[in-house]
Amino acid sequence: MDKLKLEILGLSSSQSQSGSFALVLGEVGGNRRLPIIIGMFEAQAIAIEIEKIVPNRPMTHDLFKSFAHNFNFTIKEIIISDLKEGVFFGKIVCSDGFREVEIDARPSDAIAIGLRFGVEIFTYEAILAEAGIVLGEEDEEEADESPKAKTSAAKGTPKGFMDKLKDFSMDKLQELLTEMLGKEDYEKAAKIRDEMNKRN
């Protein structure tokens, strides 16, 4: 089966399921989108990697990366491999240089790990044909935003928080950033970091 390459377009709170998030993948070179509902933990793991935030302690997916590196395993690609009764299945394609192994995983975990290894995400035509959404022209313009911009906008940090940040000195922002990382509040940490980057 031919594989189709996907890219992450956005991550936002799910309208349909409380406490869940919608991860939107887009067909590279096409106009189909593949939304996948994922849990809060996996959404956070994906968001902090997109935002390049380094947590105080390694998260589970970071631990997987360290483990793989120390035992000379590499990740070659991530595949959204199947769709059964509305549930997506994924595979992590690994290699130790001699043999290649496919490990079953939830797509959210597979993507969080794939991001840490900088590998590509794929799916099959049958899955996109069944679960993909074809966007019209207006929707495509909106979807052209970078994943970083859409992820930041979708995280739900109160607007007032951003307004207050503009009034703080760089020292105060650094202090706040350290505090938020200590609390593992990565959404606010990303907002603070963005404000600091604007000033540099």
Side-chain angles (χ1 to χ4, degrees):
M1 280 192 284
D2 287 342
K3 291 183 291 189
L4 300 172
K5 189 174 169 185
L6 300 171
E7 60 184 337
I8 296 174
L9 297 179
L11 183 61
S12 62
S13 296
S14 170
Q15 305 282 326
S16 58
Q17 295 181 33
S18 178
S20 296
F21 289 77
L23 173 65
V24 182
L25 303 170
E27 177 186 17
V28 173
N31 65 345
R32 290 180 291 183
R33 305 292 179 256
L34 190 64
I36 299 177
I37 301 300
I38 64 174
M40 189 182 299
F41 175 75
E42 293 78 16
Q44 184 183 52
I46 290 168
I48 68 167
E49 189 60 27
I50 289 172
E51 298 285 351
K52 298 299 176 198
I53 294 171
V54 180
N56 287 11
R57 299 174 295 162
M59 296 182 75
T60 306
H61 304 93
D62 302 313
L63 186 61
F64 180 94
K65 182 181 178 184
S66 298
F67 185 87
H69 276 314
N70 280 293
F71 285 94
N72 297 316
F73 280 96
T74 57
I75 305 300
K76 297 187 75 180
E77 63 188 21
I78 301 302
I79 304 172
I80 310 299
S81 58
D82 209 349
L83 176 63
K84 294 176 184 172
E85 297 176 9
V87 177
F88 290 95
F89 293 79
K91 290 189 185 295
I92 302 169
V93 182
C94 309
S95 173
D96 63 359
F98 300 102
R99 63 194 179 115
E100 195 171 285
V101 178
E102 291 184 355
I103 298 173
D104 290 332
R106 294 182 301 179
S108 53
D109 286 323
I111 290 167
I113 288 167
L115 281 171
R116 283 157 175 78
F117 283 85
V119 298
E120 295 176 337
I121 305 165
F122 295 94
T123 194
Y124 300 115
E125 173 60 37
I127 293 172
L128 265 182
E130 184 178 341
I133 297 168
V134 180
L135 296 185
E137 284 179 25
E138 287 175 21
D139 296 321
E140 278 182 38
E141 285 173 22
E142 199 177 300
D144 282 340
E145 293 178 44
S146 71
K148 228 178 211 188
K150 288 196 86 173
T151 303
S152 295
K155 285 185 185 173
T157 303
K159 199 171 180 184
F161 180 76
M162 280 305 293
D163 293 336
K164 287 177 191 168
L165 291 181
K166 293 172 186 167
D167 300 331
F168 292 140
S169 67
M170 283 296 279
D171 288 342
K172 181 64 178 170
L173 288 174
Q174 185 59 57
E175 190 183 312
L176 265 176
L177 180 61
T178 305
E179 183 188 335
M180 291 305 136
L181 287 172
K183 291 179 178 177
E184 298 186 3
D185 188 340
Y186 301 115
E187 284 118 350
K188 284 186 181 173
K191 298 292 183 187
I192 296 164
R193 193 227 34 229
D194 290 347
E195 178 62 27
M196 291 172 78
N197 288 344
K198 273 188 218 167
R199 300 186 194 183
N200 289 334

